Amino acid sequence: MTPFVIVAPAGAGRVRLLRTGDDGLPFTGPDGSGLFGAAAAVTVEGSDLARTVAVLEQAHPRWVWDDTSRWYPSLLAAGVRVERCVDLRLSHAILRHSTLTQDSELAMSLPGVFTSVAQVGVPAPASAASIHTPAPHSTLFDDLDDLDELAPSSSAGFGATDPRHSDRIPRVNGTGGTGDTDGPELDAVTDETPELAGRDHSTEDPEPDTLEIAEFRRQRDAIRTATDPSRIALLVAAESAGSLVAAEMQHAGLPWSAALHDDLLTRLLGPRPPAPGIRPARLEELLASIRTLLDDPTVNPDSPAELVKSLRRAGLNVSSTRSWELKNVDHPAIPPLLEYKKLARLLTANGWNWVDTWVREGRFHPNYIPGGVVTGRWASEGGGALQLPKQVRSAVVADPGWKLVVADAAQLEPRILAALAGDRAMAAAGRDRDLYDGIVASGAVDTRAHAKVGMLGAMYGGTTGESGRMLPRLARAYPAAIKFVEDAARVGEAGAVVTTRLGRTSPRPSDAWQDVQDEAGADNATEAARSRARSAARSWGRFTRNFVVQGTAAEWALCWISAIRRRLWLLDASTLAPTARGGAAPTAPTTPTAPATDLRLEQRPHLAFFLHDEVMVHTPAHLAEAVAEELRDAAREAGRLIFGDAPVQFPVTVAIVDSYDQAK
């Protein structure tokens, strides 16, 4: 068994490494040899950590640390990539809230250092949205192989399930995936290894337990005693793998041409102003036009409140400056005003100051936040990585001799819904074709636009307009799918929680929400109070309706990018030469100037961007076709991993381009 290695600060700039089994108990080699000597722990200088990790990584351990974003960036900077980890912070958030682990010591404990303010509170027992039991198969998450206590379910099949119950996912077995093969174990690393000579070997079990050790034990116990250990184990493994992807993408960066970006801004806005606070020429021209057409020299389109006043003074009855509302106003000042707003957003979000702040040495290095959204989706901190407008995508350009391989999952969320609900008719509609086109072909609705708006309305709770009009038709054609989201909505309206396919659980409504419901239930409640309660309940129902779908889609995406990460690393690196950034890659297999294992992450095909259901890989041009096929295979792998043999396809469209704007 390959052990886990817990990483913890030891004071004075030193780092403590502790080998454990999957139960968090100290683990030593049978002959007492190796880096750890006769004990389970070793302390190294912080300056030696990267070299130590590089040697130990040969045995494919699972690194356990409090926060990937704390430890991994310095390893990457030193050229060290790790295969697997357990991110205690991210895993804690999942295990503390999940209905699958609600009876664990971790879930019932008081908030601690691994519990952020937003994570305080233990969800009440409630519905868990799920589906059929998938069949076992090979997986990239070999962490699950060590959960020997988990007996896989023998049942399988594809059919609608009651969202108030949780079907089991059998423990995933197999060797394919993470490189956890017959390679050397930690015990094969000896004191004679030059890079590790002179380390401080402990001769006694480490004491006292560090916070990391205690937390790891609680987490493993929570998984082992979970209602469905396989589901939650897969989720925390995927979340931790995602944290590695996030750190690697931040390290490698997204290829970005500051020169092309400047040209784009100059073409749209005019030359760069000489000082901050001065409007570019094009915005000044538009402002002059707006003021003339409104006959108001005081118009300030940068202030929504002031702009509303100016528009009303001109006789335009508007309640806001939102673009959708302004587009319905017939006045000659509206077109230049809309253009001003669009260009002003570009200047604010991705203007010259943005380039100066976020782009260095030809790379955009955003700060990704895995699990930053309550459904499990990622967020970003600064730089707007998850909101790159189409206007600036032409500045995302591959290095000479390299390509961008861009893939996005087609109609991901409705396909996830079909799998969750076990809706065979909906699964068939998306078989080997665009799902919305398939819905039209089935006769449920008459146009692709109607299929899309109706399905989005079903998943997001749209009950008015076109989406509301399409919903009854979709309910007749796909009763299982529509019932699934309707049931999830009813759970939310009752103030309970729902759970995704793998076990991420929605938060409970706030105390204020509950107060509104209690007020409406009182004997002397007014009709106004009851109306407020119904409105609040419907609103929370819309949230839970979408939570199970969006949250499970986020789980699929995590499995997808994790599979991509592994597959890219295992590509035939013998065809790569370790060129400097910006250098040309060979167009045909060559003899590398250094062993393949010496190639850094950024010198190989690597993930450069991720946005919910879309990925971008930066790769030497001669490997672009191979990368494209890996992206497709990874999508199929993610579907099998979560839904087994369910007849729901998760196709991805792939484009090999020189710049991001060419992808769509």
Side-chain angles (χ1 to χ4, degrees), residues 340-645:
Y340 182 99
K341 286 169 60 66
K342 181 179 180 179
L343 293 178
R345 282 195 301 271
L346 172 63
L347 177 63
T348 300
N350 298 101
W352 288 283
N353 184 62
W354 181 89
V355 176
D356 293 343
T357 302
W358 291 101
V359 178
R360 60 182 186 276
E361 298 181 358
R363 293 293 187 271
F364 168 38
H365 296 272
N367 297 324
Y368 296 101
I369 306 176
V373 178
V374 69
T375 58
R377 276 188 168 188
W378 286 17
S380 64
E381 183 178 25
L386 304 184
Q387 296 177 328
L388 292 180
K390 293 182 179 179
Q391 295 162 292
V392 302
R393 293 183 178 182
S394 61
V396 182
V397 181
D399 290 343
W402 289 57
K403 292 286 186 179
L404 302 177
V405 184
V406 182
D408 69 276
Q411 305 94 42
L412 177 59
E413 288 193 358
R415 291 176 186 273
I416 289 289
L417 173 57
L420 284 171
D423 196 310
R424 290 184 175 275
M426 192 168 166
R431 190 77 183 173
D432 298 325
R433 68 188 305 171
D434 178 283
L435 174 60
Y436 297 133
D437 287 343
I439 291 176
V440 174
S442 73
V445 296
D446 53 350
T447 68
R448 186 182 187 280
H450 283 162
K452 183 175 183 179
V453 72
M455 192 55 64
L456 291 178
M459 294 185 296
Y460 284 85
T463 58
T464 60
E466 283 296 287
S467 61
R469 192 165 67 87
M470 294 299 115
L471 192 56
R473 302 183 189 182
L474 293 176
R476 287 192 294 270
Y478 312 111
I482 302 305
K483 181 179 185 300
F484 187 89
V485 288
E486 290 293 337
D487 286 348
R490 301 293 87 78
V491 170
E493 290 172 4
V497 296
V498 294
T499 298
T500 62
R501 175 71 177 119
L502 295 184
R504 193 186 301 270
T505 296
S506 66
R508 290 176 292 178
S510 66
D511 290 342
W513 185 94
Q514 191 61 57
D515 289 343
V516 169
Q517 304 305 314
D518 291 343
E519 181 183 357
D523 293 339
N524 58 347
T526 65
E527 182 54 37
R530 296 191 185 96
S531 177
R532 286 194 300 271
R534 288 193 295 268
S535 177
R538 286 194 298 268
S539 177
W540 199 253
R542 286 191 294 271
F543 166 69
T544 53
R545 169 195 297 268
N546 182 243
F547 183 94
V548 288
V549 178
Q550 188 181 110
T552 304
E555 293 166 352
W556 180 94
L558 278 175
C559 292
W560 186 34
I561 63 173
S562 301
I564 292 170
R565 175 181 184 263
R566 185 196 81 243
R567 288 168 174 272
L568 293 180
W569 192 256
L570 296 178
L571 278 177
D572 185 6
S574 65
T575 63
L576 295 172
T579 57
R581 174 176 289 175
T587 56
T590 63
T591 301
T593 59
T597 53
D598 287 348
L599 294 175
R600 295 170 65 101
L601 172 75
E602 56 268 35
Q603 293 172 322
R604 295 168 172 261
H606 58 272
L607 280 160
F609 185 64
F610 169 55
L611 176 62
H612 306 321
D613 57 3
E614 180 178 338
V615 299
M616 181 191 300
V617 173
H618 193 212
T619 178
H622 70 289
L623 289 176
E625 291 291 348
V627 167
E629 190 57 33
E630 295 293 353
L631 298 186
R632 299 185 185 98
D633 287 345
R636 289 188 282 269
E637 179 180 325
R640 291 193 305 269
L641 187 60
I642 298 181
F643 296 113
D645 58 358

